[in-house]
Amino acid sequence: MNSIDKIFNRYPNVQTKSNEPNNPQIILTNQEAVFYQLVQFFNQPETFQFSLNMIHDHLRDEDLLFAIEVIIEFFQKDTKHVKGVSQTFYDQHLLREQILGQKGFSERVEEKIEGIKFKPSMVNIYWNRPNSGRIPNADLIIDGTPYWKEETVDSFIEKERNYREEKKRRRMEKER
């Protein structure tokens, strides 16, 4: 699967617009419009220009990381711009490292701890609260937006489970 196919799989509306570019009834979100422009560039890089400002201005969290991923894949796998490298940076580092934004962080916590409500807005609040210590420090910050390695979030989940179990145990002891 090439980088364009990955975009189409994730954003089917972009594929529809690519197939019918002059159809005014196909409306794209800002995020989809960025990926539409990226597809145009991938298809004809000598004709279409793509500005990284679009990524900066319109993409966040998983969409931002996905855009970086498909750009790297395009240059390393879909073009001949990277030659003579047996294992690419993309294969070696990015595919092995699962990076989560605020939405991915909250979804993983909700998935792993039964009955917990942990919304992206909570991650944002805790992240922006100085010295709260409620969530771990980000492993990566891009333009002020925090991202965490999957293992960092898993470590947080384990600590959160222990904290909740201890809190429940203390409450039960008080009730006796």
Side-chain angles (χ1 to χ4, degrees):
M1 175 181 305
N2 69 22
S3 50
I4 294 173
D5 291 336
K6 281 188 171 185
I7 292 172
F8 288 164
N9 282 338
R10 187 168 177 145
Y11 304 98
N13 212 21
V14 172
Q15 183 173 18
T16 304
K17 184 68 171 176
S18 293
N19 293 338
E20 302 177 56
N22 297 323
N23 184 343
Q25 294 181 332
I26 302 170
I27 308 293
L28 300 176
T29 65
N30 286 338
Q31 292 82 7
E32 290 171 332
V34 171
F35 286 102
Y36 176 75
Q37 292 295 317
L38 202 51
V39 166
Q40 297 301 310
F41 173 75
F42 289 170
N43 276 325
Q44 297 178 356
E46 56 286 327
T47 305
F48 288 95
Q49 293 185 4
F50 181 81
S51 171
L52 287 177
N53 287 346
M54 292 180 71
I55 291 174
H56 178 271
D57 293 344
H58 299 292
L59 301 182
R60 297 289 179 268
D61 299 322
E62 280 72 26
D63 290 326
L64 172 67
L65 294 176
F66 179 71
I68 293 168
E69 177 184 319
V70 294
I71 290 169
I72 291 170
E73 183 169 333
F74 171 73
F75 283 104
Q76 291 189 335
K77 294 184 177 182
D78 298 342
T79 71
K80 294 183 178 12
H81 291 284
V82 178
K83 299 175 188 169
V85 179
S86 60
Q87 188 174 23
T88 66
F89 177 83
Y90 176 79
D91 292 332
Q92 201 171 29
H93 299 285
L94 290 182
L95 284 181
R96 292 184 190 169
E97 200 69 62
Q98 183 66 27
I99 303 293
L100 303 171
Q102 295 175 35
K103 182 179 178 192
F105 187 113
S106 66
E107 288 173 349
R108 189 160 182 88
V109 171
E110 286 185 345
E111 172 188 310
K112 299 285 186 175
I113 302 177
E114 189 176 320
I116 190 173
K117 297 292 182 208
F118 207 82
K119 301 295 175 204
S121 59
M122 294 171 68
V123 175
N124 186 44
I125 288 168
Y126 292 137
W127 167 253
N128 288 308
R129 212 176 264 169
N131 303 319
S132 76
R134 181 70 174 103
I135 61 173
N137 291 332
D139 295 305
L140 173 67
I141 299 173
I142 299 174
D143 193 36
T145 302
Y147 297 92
W148 294 266
K149 292 180 183 177
E150 196 171 56
E151 64 193 37
T152 302
V153 177
D154 288 344
S155 176
F156 167 79
I157 290 168
E158 190 59 36
K159 289 176 186 172
E160 186 69 17
R161 273 196 195 118
N162 294 339
Y163 168 77
R164 289 173 180 271
E165 288 173 10
E166 182 64 24
K167 190 175 176 181
K168 184 178 177 181
R169 187 186 61 74
R170 282 192 214 135
R171 187 175 55 240
M172 290 175 72
E173 285 178 359
K174 268 187 173 180
E175 292 174 357
R176 286 187 202 167

